[in-house]
Amino acid sequence: MKIDHLAIQVPNPTAAAEWYSSNFEGKILYSDETWSIVKFGETKLAFVLPKQHPAHFAFEVQGFDRKDKVKTHRDGSQSVYKKDPWGNIYELIKY
């Protein structure tokens, strides 16, 4: 299992992606008014709207538990959000 991305909340995901990309040599993989994702080497940083996504970190997985409520995203990936024992939100994502 590997960490897929970290997501932080911002009021303007497109502007955040452009700023981080230009200031830290990242490659914008996707960007729209609701979320953006930028790759830095092997690390991805997502910028999300506070009302649409929680701040979180994500692990890439091969599958889910039967009891998980899996969401399919517009890029075809599937994921589920969960909380660790300390209240941190993490996402399991499958491509």
Side-chain angles (χ1 to χ4, degrees):
M1 187 177 312
K2 72 174 189 168
I3 293 178
D4 184 71
H5 66 271
L6 302 173
I8 59 173
Q9 295 178 330
V10 296
N12 186 327
T14 301
E18 290 170 359
W19 189 88
Y20 276 91
S21 174
S22 66
N23 284 282
F24 297 102
E25 300 176 10
K27 178 182 178 188
I28 297 174
L29 300 178
Y30 181 84
S31 184
D32 69 22
E33 64 279 353
T34 63
W35 73 280
S36 297
I37 192 156
V38 181
K39 189 170 185 177
F40 306 90
E42 294 302 313
T43 304
K44 292 185 279 185
L45 185 57
F47 303 98
V48 298
L49 290 175
K51 292 185 180 188
Q52 290 194 351
H53 299 278
H56 65 275
F57 50 95
F59 294 95
E60 185 176 344
V61 296
Q62 298 301 312
F64 303 99
D65 291 335
R66 278 181 270 178
K67 63 183 183 215
D68 288 337
K69 293 185 179 181
V70 179
K71 178 182 178 184
T72 300
H73 301 281
R74 57 190 137 193
D75 67 356
S77 64
Q78 297 179 305
S79 73
V80 62
Y81 288 107
K82 297 184 176 198
K83 285 187 179 179
D84 68 17
W86 302 274
N88 298 300
I89 298 172
Y90 65 94
E91 178 183 27
L92 302 177
I93 188 164
K94 177 183 173 191
Y95 292 99

